[in-house]
Short mmCIF file of all heavy atoms in Angstrom, two decimals:
data_model
loop_
_atom_site.label_atom_id
_atom_site.label_comp_id
_atom_site.label_asym_id
_atom_site.label_seq_id
_atom_site.Cartn_x
_atom_site.Cartn_y
_atom_site.Cartn_z
N ARG A 1 8.73 5.27 -3.35
CA ARG A 1 8.21 4.63 -4.51
C ARG A 1 9.34 4.42 -5.54
O ARG A 1 10.30 5.18 -5.63
CB ARG A 1 7.14 5.49 -5.23
CG ARG A 1 5.84 5.55 -4.48
CD ARG A 1 4.87 6.45 -5.20
NE ARG A 1 4.51 5.95 -6.53
CZ ARG A 1 3.40 6.29 -7.19
NH1 ARG A 1 2.51 7.13 -6.60
NH2 ARG A 1 3.14 5.82 -8.41
N ASP A 2 9.16 3.35 -6.30
CA ASP A 2 9.96 3.06 -7.46
C ASP A 2 8.99 3.11 -8.61
O ASP A 2 8.30 2.14 -8.91
CB ASP A 2 10.70 1.69 -7.39
CG ASP A 2 11.59 1.43 -8.56
OD1 ASP A 2 11.38 2.09 -9.60
OD2 ASP A 2 12.36 0.49 -8.49
N ASN A 3 8.87 4.30 -9.27
CA ASN A 3 7.89 4.40 -10.34
C ASN A 3 8.12 3.49 -11.54
O ASN A 3 7.16 3.06 -12.18
CB ASN A 3 7.84 5.88 -10.81
CG ASN A 3 7.22 6.77 -9.76
OD1 ASN A 3 6.42 6.38 -8.91
ND2 ASN A 3 7.61 8.05 -9.81
N ALA A 4 9.39 3.14 -11.80
CA ALA A 4 9.68 2.28 -12.91
C ALA A 4 9.11 0.93 -12.72
O ALA A 4 8.77 0.18 -13.63
CB ALA A 4 11.19 2.21 -13.12
N GLN A 5 9.05 0.49 -11.41
CA GLN A 5 8.51 -0.82 -11.10
C GLN A 5 7.10 -0.75 -10.55
O GLN A 5 6.50 -1.81 -10.16
CB GLN A 5 9.40 -1.52 -10.04
CG GLN A 5 10.81 -1.76 -10.58
CD GLN A 5 10.82 -2.79 -11.69
OE1 GLN A 5 10.09 -3.75 -11.72
NE2 GLN A 5 11.70 -2.53 -12.66
N ASN A 6 6.48 0.44 -10.48
CA ASN A 6 5.16 0.62 -9.96
C ASN A 6 5.04 0.02 -8.58
O ASN A 6 4.07 -0.68 -8.28
CB ASN A 6 4.06 0.09 -10.89
CG ASN A 6 4.05 0.82 -12.22
OD1 ASN A 6 3.98 2.05 -12.22
ND2 ASN A 6 3.97 0.14 -13.30
N THR A 7 6.00 0.31 -7.75
CA THR A 7 6.14 -0.31 -6.45
C THR A 7 6.18 0.77 -5.37
O THR A 7 6.85 1.81 -5.58
CB THR A 7 7.34 -1.22 -6.28
OG1 THR A 7 7.29 -2.25 -7.29
CG2 THR A 7 7.48 -1.85 -4.96
N VAL A 8 5.50 0.57 -4.32
CA VAL A 8 5.52 1.45 -3.14
C VAL A 8 6.04 0.68 -1.94
O VAL A 8 5.74 -0.49 -1.76
CB VAL A 8 4.18 2.10 -2.85
CG1 VAL A 8 3.10 1.08 -2.44
CG2 VAL A 8 4.23 3.22 -1.78
N TYR A 9 6.83 1.37 -1.13
CA TYR A 9 7.43 0.76 0.09
C TYR A 9 6.98 1.58 1.34
O TYR A 9 6.72 2.77 1.26
CB TYR A 9 8.95 0.81 0.00
CG TYR A 9 9.49 0.15 -1.24
CD1 TYR A 9 9.77 0.91 -2.36
CD2 TYR A 9 9.76 -1.19 -1.29
CE1 TYR A 9 10.29 0.32 -3.51
CE2 TYR A 9 10.25 -1.80 -2.42
CZ TYR A 9 10.54 -1.03 -3.54
OH TYR A 9 11.05 -1.61 -4.63
N LEU A 10 6.94 0.85 2.42
CA LEU A 10 6.77 1.51 3.67
C LEU A 10 7.82 1.03 4.69
O LEU A 10 7.79 -0.18 5.08
CB LEU A 10 5.38 1.22 4.25
CG LEU A 10 4.97 1.98 5.54
CD1 LEU A 10 4.86 3.48 5.26
CD2 LEU A 10 3.68 1.45 6.13
N GLU A 11 8.76 1.90 5.06
CA GLU A 11 9.76 1.55 5.97
C GLU A 11 9.22 1.92 7.39
O GLU A 11 8.92 3.13 7.58
CB GLU A 11 11.05 2.30 5.71
CG GLU A 11 12.19 2.08 6.69
CD GLU A 11 12.81 0.73 6.61
OE1 GLU A 11 12.79 0.13 5.47
OE2 GLU A 11 13.33 0.20 7.55
N MET A 12 9.08 0.97 8.26
CA MET A 12 8.53 1.21 9.60
C MET A 12 9.64 0.99 10.63
O MET A 12 10.17 -0.15 10.73
CB MET A 12 7.34 0.24 9.79
CG MET A 12 6.23 0.39 8.76
SD MET A 12 4.82 -0.67 9.11
CE MET A 12 5.53 -2.27 8.97
N ASN A 13 9.95 2.01 11.34
CA ASN A 13 10.94 1.98 12.39
C ASN A 13 10.29 2.27 13.78
O ASN A 13 9.22 2.85 13.83
CB ASN A 13 12.04 2.95 12.10
CG ASN A 13 12.76 2.67 10.79
OD1 ASN A 13 13.17 1.57 10.54
ND2 ASN A 13 12.90 3.71 10.02
N SER A 14 11.01 1.96 14.81
CA SER A 14 10.54 2.21 16.18
C SER A 14 9.12 1.69 16.38
O SER A 14 8.27 2.42 16.90
CB SER A 14 10.64 3.68 16.49
OG SER A 14 11.98 4.16 16.37
N LEU A 15 8.86 0.54 15.93
CA LEU A 15 7.50 -0.04 15.98
C LEU A 15 7.01 -0.15 17.42
O LEU A 15 7.77 -0.53 18.27
CB LEU A 15 7.48 -1.36 15.23
CG LEU A 15 7.44 -1.23 13.73
CD1 LEU A 15 7.83 -2.54 13.05
CD2 LEU A 15 6.05 -0.78 13.21
N ARG A 16 5.75 0.06 17.54
CA ARG A 16 5.08 -0.06 18.87
C ARG A 16 3.92 -1.06 18.80
O ARG A 16 3.40 -1.32 17.69
CB ARG A 16 4.48 1.30 19.21
CG ARG A 16 5.44 2.46 19.19
CD ARG A 16 4.73 3.78 19.16
NE ARG A 16 5.64 4.95 19.17
CZ ARG A 16 5.28 6.18 18.91
NH1 ARG A 16 3.95 6.46 18.73
NH2 ARG A 16 6.13 7.15 18.93
N PRO A 17 3.54 -1.64 19.93
CA PRO A 17 2.45 -2.60 19.85
C PRO A 17 1.18 -2.05 19.22
O PRO A 17 0.41 -2.80 18.57
CB PRO A 17 2.22 -2.93 21.36
CG PRO A 17 3.58 -2.79 21.94
CD PRO A 17 4.16 -1.59 21.23
N GLU A 18 0.93 -0.76 19.41
CA GLU A 18 -0.25 -0.17 18.81
C GLU A 18 -0.20 -0.04 17.29
O GLU A 18 -1.19 0.33 16.64
CB GLU A 18 -0.52 1.26 19.39
CG GLU A 18 0.62 2.19 19.37
CD GLU A 18 1.40 2.21 20.69
OE1 GLU A 18 1.64 1.14 21.28
OE2 GLU A 18 1.79 3.34 21.12
N ASP A 19 0.93 -0.34 16.69
CA ASP A 19 1.06 -0.42 15.28
C ASP A 19 0.56 -1.76 14.74
O ASP A 19 0.45 -1.92 13.50
CB ASP A 19 2.54 -0.24 14.82
CG ASP A 19 3.03 1.14 15.08
OD1 ASP A 19 2.31 2.13 14.88
OD2 ASP A 19 4.22 1.28 15.55
N THR A 20 0.24 -2.70 15.59
CA THR A 20 -0.27 -3.97 15.14
C THR A 20 -1.55 -3.85 14.39
O THR A 20 -2.50 -3.26 14.92
CB THR A 20 -0.42 -4.90 16.35
OG1 THR A 20 0.79 -5.18 16.96
CG2 THR A 20 -1.07 -6.24 15.94
N ALA A 21 -1.61 -4.37 13.16
CA ALA A 21 -2.79 -4.27 12.32
C ALA A 21 -2.52 -5.00 11.06
O ALA A 21 -1.42 -5.47 10.80
CB ALA A 21 -3.08 -2.74 12.00
N VAL A 22 -3.59 -5.14 10.29
CA VAL A 22 -3.48 -5.61 8.88
C VAL A 22 -3.21 -4.35 8.02
O VAL A 22 -3.96 -3.40 8.11
CB VAL A 22 -4.69 -6.36 8.40
CG1 VAL A 22 -4.53 -6.73 6.92
CG2 VAL A 22 -4.93 -7.57 9.22
N TYR A 23 -2.13 -4.40 7.31
CA TYR A 23 -1.74 -3.26 6.45
C TYR A 23 -2.15 -3.54 5.02
O TYR A 23 -1.76 -4.57 4.46
CB TYR A 23 -0.24 -2.99 6.59
CG TYR A 23 0.15 -2.27 7.87
CD1 TYR A 23 0.11 -2.98 9.06
CD2 TYR A 23 0.58 -0.96 7.86
CE1 TYR A 23 0.42 -2.32 10.23
CE2 TYR A 23 0.90 -0.36 9.04
CZ TYR A 23 0.82 -1.01 10.21
OH TYR A 23 1.18 -0.41 11.38
N TYR A 24 -2.87 -2.60 4.40
CA TYR A 24 -3.35 -2.74 3.02
C TYR A 24 -2.73 -1.69 2.11
O TYR A 24 -2.67 -0.52 2.42
CB TYR A 24 -4.89 -2.54 3.00
CG TYR A 24 -5.67 -3.53 3.80
CD1 TYR A 24 -6.00 -3.36 5.14
CD2 TYR A 24 -6.10 -4.73 3.19
CE1 TYR A 24 -6.72 -4.27 5.82
CE2 TYR A 24 -6.84 -5.67 3.88
CZ TYR A 24 -7.16 -5.41 5.21
OH TYR A 24 -7.93 -6.35 5.91
N CYS A 25 -2.32 -2.22 0.98
CA CYS A 25 -1.78 -1.38 -0.07
C CYS A 25 -3.05 -0.82 -0.87
O CYS A 25 -4.01 -1.52 -1.08
CB CYS A 25 -0.86 -2.14 -1.00
SG CYS A 25 -0.19 -1.18 -2.38
N ASN A 26 -2.92 0.40 -1.33
CA ASN A 26 -4.00 1.00 -2.11
C ASN A 26 -3.38 1.77 -3.20
O ASN A 26 -2.34 2.46 -3.03
CB ASN A 26 -4.84 1.90 -1.25
CG ASN A 26 -5.98 2.56 -1.94
OD1 ASN A 26 -5.89 3.70 -2.36
ND2 ASN A 26 -7.11 1.84 -2.06
N ALA A 27 -4.04 1.82 -4.39
CA ALA A 27 -3.49 2.51 -5.54
C ALA A 27 -4.57 3.13 -6.42
O ALA A 27 -5.63 2.46 -6.64
CB ALA A 27 -2.61 1.58 -6.38
N ASP A 28 -4.37 4.29 -6.89
CA ASP A 28 -5.18 4.92 -7.89
C ASP A 28 -4.56 4.74 -9.23
O ASP A 28 -3.44 5.17 -9.47
CB ASP A 28 -5.34 6.47 -7.61
CG ASP A 28 -6.21 6.72 -6.41
OD1 ASP A 28 -7.10 5.91 -6.03
OD2 ASP A 28 -5.92 7.74 -5.73
N VAL A 29 -5.24 4.05 -10.11
CA VAL A 29 -4.76 3.67 -11.44
C VAL A 29 -5.63 4.28 -12.52
O VAL A 29 -6.82 4.31 -12.36
CB VAL A 29 -4.72 2.12 -11.57
CG1 VAL A 29 -4.23 1.70 -12.95
CG2 VAL A 29 -3.82 1.54 -10.49
N VAL A 30 -5.01 4.72 -13.58
CA VAL A 30 -5.73 5.27 -14.72
C VAL A 30 -5.34 4.60 -16.03
O VAL A 30 -4.22 4.19 -16.20
CB VAL A 30 -5.55 6.82 -14.85
CG1 VAL A 30 -6.08 7.55 -13.66
CG2 VAL A 30 -4.06 7.15 -15.11
N ASP A 31 -6.34 4.44 -16.92
CA ASP A 31 -6.04 4.02 -18.30
C ASP A 31 -6.37 5.23 -19.12
O ASP A 31 -6.44 6.32 -18.72
CB ASP A 31 -6.79 2.75 -18.68
CG ASP A 31 -8.26 2.82 -18.57
OD1 ASP A 31 -8.83 3.98 -18.61
OD2 ASP A 31 -8.93 1.76 -18.42
N SER A 32 -6.63 5.04 -20.41
CA SER A 32 -6.86 6.10 -21.34
C SER A 32 -8.23 6.81 -21.14
O SER A 32 -8.46 7.92 -21.60
CB SER A 32 -6.76 5.64 -22.81
OG SER A 32 -7.78 4.63 -23.08
N ILE A 33 -9.12 6.13 -20.43
CA ILE A 33 -10.47 6.64 -20.28
C ILE A 33 -10.88 6.81 -18.79
O ILE A 33 -11.49 7.85 -18.43
CB ILE A 33 -11.54 5.68 -20.93
CG1 ILE A 33 -11.23 5.48 -22.42
CG2 ILE A 33 -12.91 6.26 -20.76
CD1 ILE A 33 -11.32 6.77 -23.21
N HIS A 34 -10.54 5.83 -17.97
CA HIS A 34 -11.12 5.80 -16.60
C HIS A 34 -10.00 5.87 -15.51
O HIS A 34 -8.85 5.59 -15.78
CB HIS A 34 -11.92 4.48 -16.41
CG HIS A 34 -13.02 4.35 -17.34
ND1 HIS A 34 -14.18 5.08 -17.24
CD2 HIS A 34 -13.21 3.46 -18.39
CE1 HIS A 34 -15.00 4.67 -18.22
NE2 HIS A 34 -14.43 3.72 -18.88
N GLY A 35 -10.46 6.17 -14.32
CA GLY A 35 -9.63 6.01 -13.13
C GLY A 35 -10.23 4.97 -12.23
O GLY A 35 -11.43 4.80 -12.18
N TYR A 36 -9.35 4.27 -11.59
CA TYR A 36 -9.75 3.16 -10.79
C TYR A 36 -9.01 3.16 -9.43
O TYR A 36 -7.90 3.70 -9.33
CB TYR A 36 -9.49 1.77 -11.42
CG TYR A 36 -10.05 1.62 -12.80
CD1 TYR A 36 -9.33 2.06 -13.90
CD2 TYR A 36 -11.33 1.15 -13.01
CE1 TYR A 36 -9.82 1.86 -15.18
CE2 TYR A 36 -11.84 0.96 -14.26
CZ TYR A 36 -11.07 1.36 -15.39
OH TYR A 36 -11.61 1.22 -16.66
N ASN A 37 -9.62 2.56 -8.40
CA ASN A 37 -8.93 2.44 -7.11
C ASN A 37 -8.91 0.92 -6.75
O ASN A 37 -9.91 0.21 -6.87
CB ASN A 37 -9.66 3.20 -6.06
CG ASN A 37 -8.98 3.13 -4.70
OD1 ASN A 37 -9.31 2.36 -3.86
ND2 ASN A 37 -7.94 3.96 -4.60
N TYR A 38 -7.74 0.46 -6.31
CA TYR A 38 -7.55 -0.96 -6.05
C TYR A 38 -6.93 -1.13 -4.65
O TYR A 38 -6.26 -0.23 -4.14
CB TYR A 38 -6.58 -1.61 -7.05
CG TYR A 38 -7.13 -1.74 -8.43
CD1 TYR A 38 -6.95 -0.71 -9.40
CD2 TYR A 38 -7.91 -2.83 -8.81
CE1 TYR A 38 -7.53 -0.85 -10.68
CE2 TYR A 38 -8.41 -2.99 -10.04
CZ TYR A 38 -8.17 -1.98 -11.00
OH TYR A 38 -8.71 -2.08 -12.26
N TRP A 39 -7.29 -2.29 -4.09
CA TRP A 39 -6.75 -2.70 -2.79
C TRP A 39 -5.93 -4.00 -2.91
O TRP A 39 -6.30 -4.83 -3.61
CB TRP A 39 -7.88 -2.87 -1.72
CG TRP A 39 -8.59 -1.62 -1.32
CD1 TRP A 39 -9.72 -1.14 -1.89
CD2 TRP A 39 -8.21 -0.79 -0.30
NE1 TRP A 39 -10.08 0.01 -1.21
CE2 TRP A 39 -9.17 0.28 -0.22
CE3 TRP A 39 -7.18 -0.74 0.62
CZ2 TRP A 39 -9.09 1.30 0.69
CZ3 TRP A 39 -7.07 0.26 1.55
CH2 TRP A 39 -8.09 1.29 1.56
N GLY A 40 -4.90 -4.06 -2.11
CA GLY A 40 -4.17 -5.30 -1.95
C GLY A 40 -4.91 -6.19 -0.97
O GLY A 40 -5.96 -5.82 -0.37
N GLN A 41 -4.42 -7.41 -0.81
CA GLN A 41 -5.10 -8.44 0.02
C GLN A 41 -4.84 -8.15 1.52
O GLN A 41 -5.55 -8.76 2.34
CB GLN A 41 -4.60 -9.79 -0.33
CG GLN A 41 -3.26 -10.20 0.18
CD GLN A 41 -2.08 -9.60 -0.59
OE1 GLN A 41 -2.23 -8.88 -1.59
NE2 GLN A 41 -0.87 -9.82 -0.14
N GLY A 42 -3.83 -7.38 1.83
CA GLY A 42 -3.52 -7.05 3.21
C GLY A 42 -2.39 -8.00 3.68
O GLY A 42 -2.26 -9.17 3.37
N THR A 43 -1.51 -7.43 4.57
CA THR A 43 -0.46 -8.19 5.18
C THR A 43 -0.39 -7.89 6.67
O THR A 43 -0.51 -6.69 7.09
CB THR A 43 0.91 -7.90 4.51
OG1 THR A 43 1.95 -8.71 5.07
CG2 THR A 43 1.26 -6.43 4.65
N GLN A 44 -0.28 -8.90 7.51
CA GLN A 44 -0.34 -8.70 8.91
C GLN A 44 1.00 -8.26 9.48
O GLN A 44 2.03 -8.78 9.18
CB GLN A 44 -0.74 -10.08 9.55
CG GLN A 44 -0.77 -9.96 11.12
CD GLN A 44 -1.94 -9.17 11.70
OE1 GLN A 44 -3.05 -9.35 11.20
NE2 GLN A 44 -1.60 -8.30 12.60
N VAL A 45 0.86 -7.22 10.31
CA VAL A 45 2.03 -6.68 11.06
C VAL A 45 1.72 -6.86 12.54
O VAL A 45 0.71 -6.27 13.00
CB VAL A 45 2.41 -5.22 10.72
CG1 VAL A 45 3.45 -4.70 11.61
CG2 VAL A 45 2.85 -5.16 9.27
N THR A 46 2.54 -7.59 13.27
CA THR A 46 2.33 -7.79 14.72
C THR A 46 3.57 -7.31 15.45
O THR A 46 4.67 -7.80 15.15
CB THR A 46 2.06 -9.24 15.02
OG1 THR A 46 0.86 -9.71 14.29
CG2 THR A 46 1.78 -9.44 16.49
#
């Protein structure tokens, strides 16, 4: 993670065919009152 940029990375090495999938980012976000969970749109890894 780069917390200053609110960015998360996934370095994937030695990839296998069984890793093929749509990969979704997910984040737990809070404001002054509530907590929320969000999903990204997904990115295809083949």
Side-chain angles (χ1 to χ4, degrees):
R1 290 178 62 159
D2 181 347
N3 289 334
Q5 298 294 322
N6 294 312
T7 300
V8 64
Y9 305 93
L10 186 68
E11 178 73 29
M12 304 185 294
N13 299 312
S14 301
L15 282 162
R16 306 164 180 169
E18 52 263 42
D19 295 318
T20 295
V22 178
Y23 284 70
Y24 296 91
C25 181
N26 181 264
D28 291 329
V29 176
V30 297
D31 60 23
S32 61
I33 303 296
H34 301 289
Y36 307 90
N37 184 261
Y38 291 92
W39 291 95
Q41 78 284 356
T43 183
Q44 178 70 46
V45 172
T46 302

